[in-house]
Amino acid sequence: MMHRAMMTVCRAMALVGGLVLIALITLVCVSIMGRALNGVLHGMGDFALAKTLLNLGIGPVTGDFELVEAGMAFAIFAFLPLCQITGAHASVDIFTSKLPPWGLRVLKAAIEVLFATVLIIIALQLYEGTQSKMRSGQTTFLLQFPIWWAYLASLFAASLAALVACYMVVLRFWAVLTADESLLETDAQ
């Protein structure tokens, strides 16, 4: 029951991250097309349609790189909880394939502890960064939105990833102690 709830939350966060990623890809495409069209229109000289389109503001999206920078950080952290709970991180099985089942369970538990430690440290650093950006009132250069907004979004996703990592530590140690990995199985529901 608990695992199913955690999976649901992780999938929802990954879905939000995916939607943000799609929005960022769309933004970049629109900005690139606007930049290219702007160059073509400037090359047309005194052509009336070109002047009209340029006056409408055809060109790159203002602050596109600021939005991509903020959004990508969130998207990356948004995918981590699902990656963590499903064990979908990249791995090399050259040495581990020779381990006995109990050795593999111990190794996986140790790796979960390492992941949890790193994700907790990242979340704490993002918390400190968010606090610092809030106190300083720092904004982005072009769009002038507060930088702490991006930090806060990333902090939320990183905190969820750290929570899921701690949950996985408990499950992995349970698997080591009982040799029962049934709680670790991810269902397709």
Side-chain angles (χ1 to χ4, degrees), residues 14-94:
L15 181 62
V16 170
L19 293 173
V20 167
L21 196 55
I22 289 169
L24 293 175
I25 291 167
T26 304
L27 172 72
V28 168
C29 291
V30 167
S31 189
I32 290 170
M33 288 188 297
R35 185 174 284 115
L37 187 54
N38 183 281
V40 169
L41 293 173
H42 271 93
M44 296 176 101
D46 288 338
F47 188 59
L49 178 61
K51 282 185 175 183
T52 303
L53 290 174
L54 285 171
N55 288 336
L56 289 174
I58 298 291
V61 175
T62 302
D64 56 349
F65 62 92
E66 295 173 350
L67 294 170
V68 169
E69 181 180 23
M72 282 304 297
F74 170 77
I76 289 167
F77 285 117
F79 292 120
L80 278 178
L82 185 61
C83 221
Q84 194 66 35
I85 201 166
T86 59
H89 296 290
S91 64
V92 180
D93 297 335
I94 293 172

Side-chain angles (χ1 to χ4, degrees), residues 7 17-18 21 28 39 41 49 58 65 73 78 82 86 91 97 110 112 115 128 131 136-138 157 172-173 186:
M7 282 294 292
L21 196 55
V28 168
L41 293 173
L49 178 61
I58 298 291
F65 62 92
L82 185 61
T86 59
S91 64
S97 63
E112 291 292 352
F115 268 117
E128 292 298 323
Q131 295 297 311
S136 73
Q138 189 176 357
R172 290 287 180 193
F173 274 100
T186 56

